[in-house]
Structure formats: structure tokens, C-alpha cells
Amino acid sequence: MATIHEIRAAFRTHSPLLLEGSTRAAVAVVLRERAQGPEVLLIERAEIEGDPWSGHMAFPGGRLDVGETVENAARRETHEEVGISLHDADPLGRLDDLTGRRSASTGLVISAFVFHHHGETPLTYQPKEVREALWVPISQLSAPERHIHKPFRGTGGMAFPGIVVGHPERQIVWGLTYRFLEVFHRVVGRPFPNRWGAIEELVK
């Protein structure tokens, strides 16, 4: 997998696709350097009735407050959800904006910002919002044995690609977060194999 230095260099030449939407949300792709290579921060969202992303593996993030920029929203939500301040983090770049299957009809656009976090801030979170937060080696995200293709809750039995990052029944990255990781890996020159097939159009 790429080093932080290589990731920074790759994003210098990336021009992200920016979308317009009546409702905006933002997430933070937080990286830290380790001897074995960079790690990325993921959260397992708590089970909340009525929340379309309930229980999903995700990046910290949420909707914008009134008058807030998308990047500031990503920073604020990260601090609120896992206790990490990105005030001194290095902004590495921005991924392409995305819309989710559930948000396409509502005009919700989600933006993602990549940061290099320095230091050893412990992860702190409220169980009502976040069930668990974990650092995942980026090298594991492209390991073939971690990639699966299966139906997930709320998909009507249709199979989607996913990546097992922790507990094999719960902690599987799929959907919007998987798509952001696809963009990230494409930017740094290590694209995922095409696992969408005929269902690709359904998740745009």
C-alpha cells in the first residue's frame, strides 16, 4: 500500500468531482502512519431506529450545520464522534462527491476529506452514536480474502461488494463507504477490482 507521502503526492494532482445538492453532509477519511503502513479510522455506527445508516461501518461524519463549510463539518463531526481533533492534522485532499441510493431522491450530497492525523489521541465515543471505532491497516482493504459479495440488510436480497474489517458478521464496509474507498484507491493508483457488475447502476 502507498505511504502517507505517496498518498499526499497522488492527491496533489487529483481534481475531485464536486456535486450540487439541496442537503449536504461530509465525512473525514482520517489516516495515521504506522511502521507497517498507514491506517484508516472507521466507525461502526450504533443501531438507531429510523437511521438509514444504522449499524453501518463508516467514516466519522454527518450533516452540515447552518452556515458551515463541508470541510469544517467533517472536522467537527470527527471530534464529536470519536474525540479526535483535526485542527493540527494535514489535509491531504478531497475525494469525489457521492450520493447514496437512499439519498438520491432527497438531494443529499456527501463529501469526503482526507487527513493525516499526527499524535496518539485515544478514541472516545458515545455508545448511543458509535458502537465501536477502530484503526484498520489500509493494506488490508485490498486483500482478496477480505472482499466479499453478499446481500446486506435493506438491499432487498441483492448482493453488494463488501470488505471485512473486523467482526465477520457486523464490521463489513459496503455501500457508500465502500464507494469512497474505491475512489481513494483509484486516486492513489491501486484500484479495487470491478465487483459491481450489473448492479453498478443501482447504487449511483
Side-chain angles (χ1 to χ4, degrees), residues 30-33 84-86 89 115-121 135:
V30 183
L31 309 179
R32 70 176 185 180
E33 190 71 272
I84 288 181
S85 171
L86 296 176
F115 299 93
H116 176 204
H117 172 63
H118 306 273
E120 300 295 329
T121 307
W135 291 99

Side-chain angles (χ1 to χ4, degrees), residues 181-201:
L181 285 173
E182 279 189 308
V183 176
F184 175 87
H185 279 76
R186 187 172 68 245
V187 171
V188 300
R190 290 165 172 80
F192 286 164
N194 181 13
R195 297 175 182 270
W196 292 98
I199 64 173
E200 188 173 11
E201 293 300 320

Side-chain angles (χ1 to χ4, degrees), residues 14-120:
H14 175 61
S15 297
L17 173 66
L18 305 183
L19 302 176
E20 296 293 331
S22 57
T23 309
R24 304 301 301 254
V27 300
V29 182
V30 183
L31 309 179
R32 70 176 185 180
E33 190 71 272
R34 284 295 180 268
Q36 71 274 21
E39 296 179 334
V40 62
L41 177 63
L42 292 168
I43 64 172
E44 180 185 3
R45 296 201 173 278
E47 296 281 351
I48 302 174
E49 186 175 353
D51 180 359
W53 291 285
S54 175
H56 286 202
M57 296 302 298
F59 299 116
R63 300 199 184 211
L64 275 64
D65 286 344
V66 176
E68 189 175 38
T69 68
V70 281
E71 183 170 348
N72 283 344
R75 293 174 182 269
R76 173 183 55 77
E77 287 283 347
T78 300
H79 186 256
E80 291 177 0
E81 291 188 338
V82 293
I84 288 181
S85 171
L86 296 176
H87 177 72
D88 294 324
D90 295 334
L92 302 183
R94 179 173 178 172
L95 301 179
D96 297 349
D97 288 348
L98 295 177
T99 61
R101 289 187 307 121
R102 295 182 177 93
S103 59
S105 61
T106 63
L108 177 63
V109 172
I110 304 98
S111 302
F113 296 85
V114 184
F115 299 93
H116 176 204
H117 172 63
H118 306 273
E120 300 295 329

